[in-house]
């Protein structure tokens, strides 16, 4: 039985091969991370269309920047930071055209979940409550709960200390609890 | 139970529970929760909240979507990459050419006009104010060795050398300098006045 390769090492090897000129290595990186990036974008933007657009844009940005990736953080951390930056830009852009927060965007829409109504009300309440959280708290919560990142990884993505990341998470949960009244 | 300790525990409870989600028990938490019903209740609420959050999973698009994901990305990359390269190449080519001309101009100090071009320019300038037939007659007189097969309007222009044209001009306008590099060193008089001032205006 062959041991499962460490994802970080695999990513670094793929990045190294891409930087050496092997285009196919980028395809493997996309294949390995596309679902994570799509889900993160969906969590942050709340619908499939924006999540799809954002995940494609994120990989375009990754492709253009991959030559300068030094491996100081893991590829996953680096890619997550790119998505967060893009989402921040997108929110800023939308602020002048559309409602600014998730709770104002209306019910979540996804073309693939038609007919699935179980527990949708509770999920919707939570989703809107998450959308009302301050930016740093919301991002920390999403990275921890949905992306299952460790706090040291979140700290690397957010550019803060582990203690700050934990404090943001604590405040996010407390704010969420107050908003949903649990 | 000291209130301060409960506050500390509750402050750390959130991330302790989150860290414990992957397995294992947060250090020292179980003991405190056994002794403090308030903190135990808080822990239960947070666990329920985290559990509720986790149930709101993102619906996974169908496999067809994922199969099209990379090809769509590749199309965008090709489009953006090609556009970017062409635009960049043109900008650099234009900037490089402009820089070469600028440096060459600085090095030379002034733009040199070839003798033939200078003479032709001067003749054309003069011809603008002179009757074409009179000018042609003057040129035929001054340059009898021009190719007779060339149409009259083009004959002298086509065959006259810089020296011929310079000589012609010296005879017509002796007050002008013979060289035409850096043309227009002195103001050119109006054609009618110039002809009136020539030694023998009867040649036209």
């Amino acid at each position: 039985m062959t041991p499962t390769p460490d994802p970080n090492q695999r990513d670094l090897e793929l990045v190294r091969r891409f930087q050496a000129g092997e285009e196919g290595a980028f395809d493997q990186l996309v294949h390995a991370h596309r679902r994570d990036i799509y889900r993160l974008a969906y969590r942050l933007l709340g619908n499939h269309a924006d999540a799809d657009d954002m995940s494609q844009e994120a990989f375009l940005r990754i492709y253009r920047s991959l030559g300068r990736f030094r491996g100081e953080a893991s590829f996953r951390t680096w890619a997550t930071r790119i998505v967060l930056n893009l989402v921040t830009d997108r929110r800023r852009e939308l602020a002048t055209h559309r409602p600014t927060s998730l709770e104002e965007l209306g019910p979540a829409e996804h073309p693939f979940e038609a007919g699935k109504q179980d527990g949708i009300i509770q999920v919707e309440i939570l989703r809107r409550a998450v959308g009302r959280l301050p930016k740093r708290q919301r991002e920390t919560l999403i990275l921890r709960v949905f992306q299952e990142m460790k706090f040291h990884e979140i700290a690397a993505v957010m550019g803060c200390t582990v203690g700050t990341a934990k404090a943001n998470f604590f405040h996010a949960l407390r704010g969420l609890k107050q908003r949903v009244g649990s | 139970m000291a209130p301060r300790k409960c506050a500390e525990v509750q402050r750390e409870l959130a991330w302790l529970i989150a860290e414990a989600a992957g397995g294992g028990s947060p250090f020292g938490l179980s003991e405190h929760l056994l002794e403090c019903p308030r903190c135990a209740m808080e822990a239960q609420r947070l666990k329920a909240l985290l559990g509720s959050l986790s149930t709101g999973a993102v619906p996974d698009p169908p496999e067809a979507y994922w199969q099209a994901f990379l090809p769509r990305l590749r199309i965008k990359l090709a489009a953006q990459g090609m556009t970017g390269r062409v635009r960049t190449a043109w900008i650099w080519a234009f900037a490089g050419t402009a820089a070469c001309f600028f440096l060459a101009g600085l090095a030379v100090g002034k733009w040199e006009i070839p003798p033939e071009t200078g003479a032709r320019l001067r003749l054309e300038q003069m011809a603008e104010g002179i009757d074409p037939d009179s000018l042609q007659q003057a040129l035929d007189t001054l340059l009898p060795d021009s190719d007779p097969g060339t149409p009259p309007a083009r004959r002298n222009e086509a065959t006259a050398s810089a020296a011929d044209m310079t000589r012609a001009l010296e005879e017509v306008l002796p007050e002008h300098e013979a060289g035409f590099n850096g043309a227009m060193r002195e103001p050119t008089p109006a054609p009618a006045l110039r002809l009136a001032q020539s030694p023998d205006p009867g040649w036209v």
Side-chain angles (χ1 to χ4, degrees):
Chain A
M1 183 176 176
T2 55
T4 307
D6 177 14
N8 286 340
Q9 289 303 316
R10 176 208 59 197
D11 290 345
L12 288 176
E13 173 63 16
L14 289 172
V15 170
R16 191 192 60 74
R17 282 162 51 190
F18 176 80
Q19 289 174 340
E22 186 183 328
E23 279 284 316
F26 177 74
D27 295 354
Q28 292 183 54
L29 280 171
V30 173
H31 187 76
H33 292 276
R34 59 189 180 182
R35 288 174 195 270
D36 268 354
I37 286 183
Y38 170 84
R39 286 181 188 133
L40 175 59
Y42 187 96
R43 289 288 180 198
L44 291 164
L45 293 167
N47 64 79
H48 168 72
D50 283 342
D52 172 53
D53 190 38
M54 184 57 58
S55 48
Q56 289 269 321
E57 181 61 31
F59 277 112
L60 289 174
R61 180 78 64 90
I62 287 169
Y63 183 90
R64 288 195 292 265
S65 307
L66 202 52
R68 299 190 298 272
F69 179 72
R70 301 277 174 237
E72 291 158 356
S74 71
F75 176 81
R76 186 190 185 209
T77 299
W78 183 71
T80 302
R81 191 183 299 150
I82 285 176
V83 175
L84 291 185
N85 289 340
L86 284 172
V87 169
T88 300
D89 292 345
R90 173 66 61 90
R91 282 174 173 275
R92 200 173 293 141
E93 185 182 307
L94 291 177
T96 55
H97 305 292
R98 298 215 322 230
T100 56
S101 54
L102 282 177
E103 71 271 16
E104 292 173 304
L105 292 173
E109 293 176 0
H110 199 292
F112 316 116
E113 70 172 354
K116 294 180 182 175
Q117 298 295 323
D118 296 343
I120 205 161
I121 294 174
Q122 187 187 14
V123 169
E124 193 57 33
I125 290 171
L126 275 171
R127 194 184 72 84
R128 288 171 180 247
V130 170
R132 287 192 190 97
L133 291 171
K135 175 178 174 289
R136 307 282 287 182
Q137 293 178 24
R138 181 176 62 244
E139 290 175 353
T140 303
L141 183 78
I142 288 172
L143 293 180
R144 179 66 197 96
V145 175
F146 302 114
Q147 301 301 107
E148 298 180 346
M149 283 186 157
K150 301 291 183 187
F151 281 108
H152 73 271
E153 291 178 307
I154 295 171
V157 169
M158 308 282 284
C160 64
T161 64
V162 175
T164 303
K166 287 178 176 177
N168 280 335
F169 184 72
F170 164 72
H171 290 299
L173 273 188
R174 191 174 65 175
L176 205 55
K177 190 159 65 74
Q178 288 170 351
R179 283 180 168 87
V180 299
S182 61
Chain B
M1 191 68 52
R4 184 174 173 275
K5 194 174 180 182
C6 282
E8 284 176 2
V9 166
Q10 287 188 25
R11 193 163 55 238
E12 296 183 347
L13 206 51
W15 63 265
L16 286 174
I17 289 171
E19 290 285 44
S25 177
F27 51 90
L29 185 65
S30 303
E31 292 78 3
H32 181 85
L33 294 180
L34 284 173
E35 296 171 3
C36 180
R38 190 178 160 198
C39 289
M41 179 71 76
E42 180 67 11
Q44 285 301 317
R45 285 174 178 166
L46 286 176
K47 281 182 182 175
L49 187 60
L50 284 169
S52 298
L53 280 172
S54 302
T55 57
V58 174
D60 197 30
E63 196 54 35
Y65 169 80
W66 294 119
Q67 285 176 359
F69 190 90
L70 185 59
R72 286 170 54 218
L73 184 63
R74 277 289 172 197
I75 290 170
K76 290 178 184 176
L77 278 171
Q80 291 191 2
M82 180 63 73
T83 303
R85 271 195 294 273
V86 169
R87 189 184 299 134
T88 305
W90 275 109
I91 289 171
W92 279 110
F94 179 78
T97 306
C100 287
F101 274 107
F102 179 72
L103 291 174
L106 285 180
V108 171
K110 63 176 183 178
W111 298 108
E112 291 286 345
I113 300 176
E116 291 79 3
T117 305
R120 186 171 296 123
L121 285 172
R122 176 59 66 91
L123 278 175
E124 286 175 359
Q125 187 183 18
M126 290 170 57
E128 284 175 4
I130 300 175
D131 176 58
D133 293 335
S134 301
L135 179 63
Q136 186 61 56
Q137 187 182 355
L139 289 172
D140 288 344
T141 305
L142 291 166
L143 306 169
D145 53 346
S146 296
D147 180 9
T150 307
R154 303 278 303 167
R155 188 189 307 163
N156 296 294
E157 183 182 355
T159 58
S161 67
D164 292 337
M165 287 190 276
T166 300
R167 182 166 52 83
L169 282 173
E170 281 173 345
E171 291 190 23
V172 173
L173 301 170
E175 72 276 20
H176 282 74
E177 295 182 48
F180 291 99
N181 288 335
M184 304 302 293
R185 288 190 196 118
E186 61 184 46
T188 306
L193 177 62
R194 198 169 57 220
L195 288 174
Q197 290 173 344
S198 68
D200 182 14
W203 63 270
V204 293

